[in-house]
Amino acid sequence: MTFFSKFAKTFFSNGHYKILIYISIFVVLFYVNKTFKIEILEDNSSLNLYFSAVFLLVSFFLNAKSMQLLYASFGFEMSFKLSIHAHGLNVLTKYVPGNLWIILGRSGYISEKSSVPLPKSIQINLFWFIIMINLGSLISLPLIFLKTHSLIFSFINLGIFLFSSIFLFENKTINFINSKLESHGYSVIPILPIIKLLPTMFFVLIMHIFILIHFYFLSSQLLGPHDFLIVLHFPFSFVISLFLFIFPGSLGVREGVLSFLLIENGVDSSIAISLAILSRLVFLLVEIVYFIISLASYKLGKHAYQ
């Protein structure tokens, strides 16, 4: 067991992660209160906002379902409720201490409540992370056909897709990397046949589609009817932000990339920035709702996962 795994095991066994959850809730509420003024919500027609929030909330449950299926692919059966709790109770910790804690928090919770060893749980969650990045970048690939889209961003997106695909589908490359890792005493990268990955990939893809629909309704609130291709900028900015673990919750990163891409495609700068910030606000509010649902289910269920 590596130093990293030992630290995580000690941290979770002592229950210290719960402190981060409470701190995260405070930070999120503070951010909502201080960062964004809700003048743009005063339009009489807010139906698009409601649809946007509903599709986003459903995407979180699809997220949990995909994780349940991935654990099953590795031979670890767990309930859908456990997967929801593992994700929902830790969903706000990406703001404190950062994005990486979504992986560590969920891994640790599942390990604590089931028979899955913590190092293996972390490994599975990292594998899910790669699947999410791979399919997110795949959805954004059509952006290359937009004349106004930057070729640099297109090549970055293509590079992310190809690189993540190697870890999912190119077994010879992974076997070579694993031989090097084993020789130095590190955990190997898991390899699964594509047929076993299909159920997980299907739900992750549906999750991305629901997030796309969320952003379509959200952008329609400010832009009115518009080219659907513009919506594809959101998964790209989402994928880019996931790589920057040092920014808690990718605050500012996703908004900056998204605003730049929207402005590049002819959206007025003030509307583009407002849309990017509104997207963050809706995410925050839906994450809080998802956390409350998970917490209520956890309390009412008396922690039973069988």
Side-chain angles (χ1 to χ4, degrees):
M1 186 181 294
T2 63
F3 170 78
F4 182 74
S5 297
K6 289 179 180 178
F7 168 77
K9 184 175 183 179
T10 302
F11 192 89
F12 285 109
S13 62
N14 291 335
H16 296 322
Y17 69 94
K18 296 178 182 178
I19 298 174
L20 292 177
I21 293 175
Y22 301 135
I23 295 175
S24 297
I25 295 172
F26 172 79
V27 171
V28 167
L29 293 175
F30 181 82
Y31 178 85
V32 170
N33 183 57
K34 294 295 183 182
T35 305
F36 189 70
K37 304 303 179 184
I38 316 193
E39 293 92 358
I40 61 175
L41 298 183
E42 293 177 355
D43 182 53
N44 291 329
S45 175
S46 298
L47 195 59
N48 284 326
L49 287 174
Y50 298 136
F51 280 127
S52 170
V54 168
F55 275 96
L56 184 59
L57 181 61
V58 173
S59 75
F60 289 157
F61 288 99
L62 293 169
N63 181 319
K65 184 62 180 179
S66 69
M67 181 57 67
Q68 179 198 15
L69 292 172
L70 186 58
Y71 271 79
S73 298
F74 279 91
F76 299 105
E77 297 293 336
M78 69 175 179
S79 67
F80 183 41
K81 182 167 68 172
L82 173 55
S83 187
I84 290 174
H85 293 174
H87 182 215
L89 295 177
N90 291 283
V91 70
L92 298 176
T93 57
K94 71 179 184 180
Y95 298 103
V96 175
N99 277 326
L100 185 60
W101 204 261
I102 285 289
I103 296 174
L104 296 181
R106 180 153 62 177
S107 302
Y109 188 90
I110 292 173
S111 178
E112 181 185 6
K113 303 295 183 181
S114 69
S115 60
V116 185
L118 181 59
K120 190 61 163 181
S121 189
I122 293 174
Q123 205 173 51
I124 294 173
N125 272 270
L126 286 171
F127 200 73
W128 180 89
F129 182 78
I130 294 173
I131 293 174
M132 184 175 66
I133 287 175
N134 180 261
L135 293 178
S137 57
L138 174 64
I139 290 174
S140 300
L141 284 180
L143 285 174
I144 197 170
F145 298 110
L146 282 177
K147 293 181 180 179
T148 55
H149 188 63
S150 169
L151 281 179
I152 295 177
F153 280 112
S154 295
F155 282 122
I156 291 174
N157 189 55
L158 180 62
I160 291 172
F161 172 72
L162 294 176
F163 184 74
S164 58
S165 294
I166 290 175
F167 284 91
L168 296 177
F169 311 119
E170 182 46 57
N171 290 349
K172 290 183 179 179
T173 302
I174 298 304
N175 284 329
F176 173 77
I177 296 174
N178 280 342
S179 65
K180 299 299 181 181
L181 291 174
E182 285 182 311
S183 65
H184 291 86
Y186 293 107
S187 299
V188 298
I189 300 169
I191 298 177
L192 283 180
I194 183 63
I195 192 67
K196 285 192 173 185
L197 284 177
L198 288 179
T200 299
M201 295 184 73
F202 172 77
F203 273 90
V204 172
L205 181 61
I206 297 300
M207 180 196 76
H208 275 300
I209 291 174
F210 268 67
I211 294 175
L212 271 180
I213 297 173
H214 140 77
F215 189 70
Y216 178 78
F217 279 117
L218 192 68
S219 55
S220 296
Q221 180 70 25
L222 298 184
L223 299 177
H226 58 82
D227 189 347
F228 187 79
L229 276 177
I230 290 180
V231 177
L232 297 181
H233 290 108
F234 187 80
F236 175 71
S237 63
F238 188 74
V239 167
I240 291 296
S241 68
L242 290 175
F243 280 97
L244 302 175
F245 293 112
I246 59 174
F247 294 92
S250 302
L251 290 173
V253 178
R254 192 175 77 197
E255 291 80 5
V257 173
L258 182 58
S259 297
F260 175 82
L261 293 174
L262 291 174
I263 293 169
E264 190 180 45
N265 282 274
V267 178
D268 181 77
S269 59
S270 61
I271 295 178
I273 294 171
S274 294
L275 180 56
I277 297 176
L278 178 61
S279 171
R280 172 63 71 179
L281 177 65
V282 173
F283 250 86
L284 286 170
L285 295 178
V286 173
E287 283 165 345
I288 291 173
V289 171
Y290 184 54
F291 170 80
I292 293 172
I293 292 172
S294 302
L295 183 61
S297 173
Y298 173 78
K299 295 295 185 181
L300 295 175
K302 297 181 180 179
H303 316 172
Y305 294 113
Q306 300 300 326

